[in-house]
Amino acid sequence: MPGFELFGDKEREQVRDVLDSGVLMRYGFDGMRNGHWKAKELEAALAQRMQSKHAHLVSSGTAALTVALASAGIGAGDEVIMPTFTFVASFESILALGAIPVLVDVDDTLTLDPSAVEKAITNKTKVIMPVHMCGSMADLHALQQLCGKHGLLLLEDACQAIGGSYQGKPLGSVGDLGCFSFDYVKTITCGEGGAVITNNEAYYQNAHKYSDHGHDHIGNDRGAEQHPFLGYNFRISELNAAVGVAQLARLDEFISLQKRNYHILREALSIVPEVTFRRVPDGGEENYSFLSFFLPSEEMAQKAHKALGTNGVDACFYWYNNNWHYYRKWEHLTDKKALGKLPEEVIKGLPDYSKTDFSASDYWVGRTISCLIKLGWSEKEMKERAKKMVEVIQSST
Ligand SMILES: *Cc1c(COP(=O)(O)O)cnc(C)c1O
């Protein structure tokens, strides 16, 4: 991660096709487009790569989450279980529908703890939304069993984990619905973009309509389309999709570069007795976009992270103090700071997060350092970086 590091001729060629025809819109204009349908082409390639029946592109990963939830009929007052360690998009996408984000602890996988999830289930719960943060997954088997037992949907936020797998299935394809982001810093990028994948025909039909104002996409006359329900505009443009066509074709190349660099770093850090690694559930394979590890205490992790920075080792993250990714800094959610009035269901239903006990999350995330794995680092650079990291961590702990 990220795919923009390896942006080149293939991406330019795809974009040029779109610029040559001048059709920047994914629907219609059949006669003008010289046969180029970049969004459709990327959807077909993504569905195939993800072993899913359907893929539908939208304007962002956040839009993908909202569209996925909407396509399954999630609305006002429905509860969606999500982790304390994620990106703010998780609760934004839920709140956009008037539904309620229910935050739940993470464990040593740095994703949803199934036993904490079970405790949070109420008669309003509709969805469990694990987030495959930093390229790795929760115990999806345990979450699937909970979904079966309580009649819930499993929606995977695979925005940071494209290319990873679980029990042989691509991440994103395990749940009822899966979402990807192709924003500028993700493993593959469209500039901005996202996708919903599903095997469920009804959800797919809802998703493509909902993300284009509710248009039914029947027939060639855009103006004559019916609108079976209310929608919104979450469309992707052909320019963005064109970049994605080139990037998706390189996904396996990107993953193998990440994997090589990840293992160089992991092997080097393994000799440090204080370092333990994030748990990957049985049957899971990461996409190797980050290497995440624990130090024995919060103080040691903070000290090591600071020392890495002052010694010029960039791209290492301490999420515990991060504004975007950890619940401690989400006061806009805790204090319900909306521009307008929030729906009554949300005001009433939102738990008081200033009082919730997330000490289990604090225990894990407070001790975590994650190192971004760049595609552009050569084997030699990676070995030097790994050696430096070991030295810095050893002298700081
Ligand atoms: C990036 C990201 C999103 C949102 O994607 P955008 O395309 O930036 O809207 C959602 N969830 C996670 C875990 C992400 O990392």
Side-chain angles (χ1 to χ4, degrees), residues 252-310:
D252 293 324
E253 171 198 340
F254 290 179
I255 300 296
S256 70
L257 285 171
Q258 286 182 173
K259 186 172 177 175
R260 179 199 70 196
N261 285 348
Y262 171 107
H263 281 299
I264 291 172
L265 183 57
R266 184 166 176 136
E267 223 169 273
L269 286 174
S270 298
I271 65 153
V272 183
E274 288 84 5
V275 168
T276 51
F277 295 97
R278 164 197 205 165
R279 179 168 63 88
V280 177
D282 286 345
E285 182 168 13
E286 302 177 65
N287 82 341
Y288 308 104
S289 52
F290 286 85
L291 177 67
S292 300
F293 55 92
F294 306 116
L295 286 169
S297 71
E298 194 181 311
E299 295 68 39
M300 282 167 104
Q302 291 197 8
K303 227 173 117 198
H305 178 251
K306 198 167 162 210
L308 287 166
T310 51

Side-chain angles (χ1 to χ4, degrees), residues 60-62 65 87 89 131 133 157 159-160 181 183 186 193:
S60 71
T62 313
L65 293 168
F87 179 49
V131 182
M133 277 298 278
D157 177 342
C159 289
Q160 291 193 9
S181 163
D183 81 20
K186 296 304 201 287

Side-chain angles (χ1 to χ4, degrees), residues 1 58-65 85-90 92-93 129-134 157-161 179-186 191-195 325:
M1 203 154 111
V58 288
S59 50
S60 71
T62 313
L65 293 168
F85 174 48
T86 174
F87 179 49
V88 293
S90 304
E92 290 168 348
S93 63
M129 187 201 279
V131 182
H132 308 324
M133 277 298 278
C134 304
D157 177 342
C159 289
Q160 291 193 9
C179 292
F180 298 107
S181 163
F182 305 126
D183 81 20
Y184 189 54
V185 298
K186 296 304 201 287
E192 295 283 1
H325 294 288

Side-chain angles (χ1 to χ4, degrees), residues 137-188:
M137 76 296 313
D139 181 344
L140 293 175
H141 179 68
L143 295 181
Q144 276 175 321
Q145 283 188 320
L146 284 178
C147 286
K149 186 171 156 197
H150 297 273
L152 310 175
L153 292 176
L154 188 65
L155 192 173
E156 296 175 74
D157 177 342
C159 289
Q160 291 193 9
I162 192 165
S165 65
Y166 183 74
Q167 295 179 345
K169 285 179 151 185
L171 289 177
S173 74
V174 178
D176 301 279
L177 291 143
C179 292
F180 298 107
S181 163
F182 305 126
D183 81 20
Y184 189 54
V185 298
K186 296 304 201 287
T187 299
I188 62 171

